[in-house]
């Protein structure tokens, strides 16, 4: 996805539409096939596309993607349906899923910054930049992105996994937390792990990152090592946590998340270390 600077809906040959509904994303669902609505689909819906946000051109195609909000009461003729964003990861595949995530974040930003946060004047779109400007006091509102660390903590050949008290999925995962004002990411890691499970960590190393459009997080992944302390969960956010060996893991998150990538990479590391030790015998 070339992240071209957004322009107004250009008179492009082909457009694909990301219709962001309060309950998810509108897609064409025909059997197992899922696709984004076409110009023809959108033309038959009574929605105003004048404020559409250009998301960029789909890799290697002449198709330009546009995001626009649609109301909860929009009538959707078959095969158009509303799908929860997370449920679209498998049917859409990576590139299209993250495009839908980008659409959800752009529409969330535009719908929550219609008025200036300083003087309540209606904001206006800035040409050629994803920004809303207040004509009265000049305040600029760019899309909100909330940095959140996510960290896999190791202790010898075990990993710290926790079950979130609020999660309905029931799986165990690595720890995560939003950065607070004035913190470095390394400080967030130490604070969040101390707050959530009561142990001290060291040796934080960058792993990778991932946009997380629920609604506007940016996940920054790290590994770290246990330094001291025994697990004592906070009981509010974390219901249970423990140290798990690679061959006896509890239920873990699906492939969509960087949490799963962190865990998979650690398991692969453990197996490679064991294999090397076998060879060395
Ligand atoms: N992609 C992945 O693998 C994973 C993503 N996540 C995401 O990471 C983010 C942080 O995870 P949590 O453990 O929930 O955060 P956290 O441990 O900082 O606690 C969440 C609390 O932070 C506060 N909060 C909510 N939105 C905030 C924001 N934008 N900035 C600052 N504070 C905020 C609220 O009080 C909320 O209860 C969430 O968006 C969560 O969905 C969490 C685990 C895995
Ligand atoms: Mg957390
Ligand atoms: Zn203002």
């Amino acid at each position: 996805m070339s992240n071209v600077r957004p322009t107004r809906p250009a008179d492009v040959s082909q457009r694909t539409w990301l219709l962001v509904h309060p309950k998810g994303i509108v897609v064409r669902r025909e059997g197992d096939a899922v696709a984004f609505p076409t110009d023809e689909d959108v033309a038959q819906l009574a929605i105003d596309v004048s404020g559409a946000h250009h998301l960029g051109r789909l890799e290697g195609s002449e198709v330009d993607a546009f995001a626009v909000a649609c109301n909860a009461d929009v009538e959707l003729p078959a095969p158009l349906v509303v799908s929860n964003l997370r449920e679209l990861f498998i049917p859409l595949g990576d590139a299209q899923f993250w495009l839908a995530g980008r659409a959800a974040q752009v529409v969330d930003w535009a719908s929550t910054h219609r008025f200036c946060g300083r003087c309540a004047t209606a904001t206006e779109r800035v040409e050629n930049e994803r920004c809303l400007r207040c004509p009265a006091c000049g305040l600029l509102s760019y899309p909100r992105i909330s940095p959140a660390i996510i960290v896999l903590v190791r202790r010898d050949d075990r990993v710290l996994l926790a079950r979130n008290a609020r999660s309905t999925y029931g799986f165990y995962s690595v720890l995560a937390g939003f950065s607070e004002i004035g913190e470095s990411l390394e400080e967030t890691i130490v604070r969040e792990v101390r707050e959530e499970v009561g142990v001290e960590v060291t040796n934080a190393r960058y792993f990778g990152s991932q946009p997380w459009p629920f609604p506007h997080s940016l996940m920054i992944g790290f590994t770290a090592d246990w330094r001291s302390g025994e697990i004592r969960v906070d009981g509010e956010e974390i219901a249970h946590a423990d140290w798990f060996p690679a061959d006896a893991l509890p239920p873990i998150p699906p492939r969509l998340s960087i949490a799963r990538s962190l865990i998979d990479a650690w398991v692969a590391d453990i197996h490679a270390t064991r294999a090397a030790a076998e060879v060395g015998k």
Side-chain angles (χ1 to χ4, degrees), residues 8 21 55 102 108 111 151 159 177 261 281:
R8 289 210 177 284
H21 182 281
L55 295 179
R102 191 195 296 262
D108 174 69
S111 64
V151 57
V159 66
S261 308
K281 274 183 182 165

Side-chain angles (χ1 to χ4, degrees), residues 6 22 32 37 46-47 60 63 67 98 116 126 132 153 157 183 192 203 205 215 221 226 230 233 241 254 258 261:
D32 291 339
I47 53 175
V63 177
W98 295 116
C116 172
V126 172
L132 289 165
V153 181
D157 63 350
E183 260 182 347
E192 279 292 335
N203 189 31
R205 288 286 177 275
W226 171 84
E230 295 311 319
V233 297
I258 191 171
S261 308

Side-chain angles (χ1 to χ4, degrees), residues 100-247:
R102 191 195 296 262
Q105 281 194 241
V106 167
V107 167
D108 174 69
W109 157 70
S111 64
T112 53
H113 291 79
R114 292 166 46 225
F115 300 97
C116 172
R118 185 188 287 152
C119 71
T121 307
T123 54
E124 296 170 350
R125 296 264 285 262
V126 172
E127 274 297 307
N128 289 328
E129 197 179 15
R130 206 161 323 277
C131 179
L132 289 165
R133 184 177 178 282
C134 170
C137 73
L139 182 71
L140 296 176
S141 301
Y142 289 91
R144 178 174 176 183
I145 299 175
S146 299
I149 60 95
I150 182 158
V151 57
L152 180 139
V153 181
R154 296 172 297 236
R155 184 178 185 178
D156 304 327
D157 63 350
R158 292 175 182 249
V159 66
L160 197 161
L161 296 175
R163 184 163 50 78
N164 190 306
R166 292 181 306 239
S167 167
T168 51
Y169 300 111
F171 49 61
Y172 281 70
S173 188
V174 291
L175 298 177
F178 289 106
S179 247
E180 289 180 0
I181 294 178
E183 260 182 347
S184 69
L185 294 175
E186 292 77 3
E187 287 164 337
T188 308
I189 290 167
V190 172
R191 177 181 55 74
E192 279 292 335
V193 175
R194 179 183 296 145
E195 282 176 0
E196 294 190 357
V197 294
V199 304
E200 300 300 318
V201 293
T202 183
N203 189 31
R205 288 286 177 275
Y206 179 68
F207 171 82
S209 64
Q210 160 181 79
W212 195 245
F214 305 101
H216 39 58
S217 297
L218 171 64
M219 304 313 299
I220 305 122
F222 288 85
T223 59
D225 294 316
W226 171 84
R227 189 161 64 86
S228 65
E230 295 311 319
I231 291 176
R232 190 178 21 79
V233 297
D234 66 3
E236 278 164 43
E237 185 175 336
I238 305 298
H240 177 247
D242 205 346
W243 300 100
F244 293 93
D247 41 16

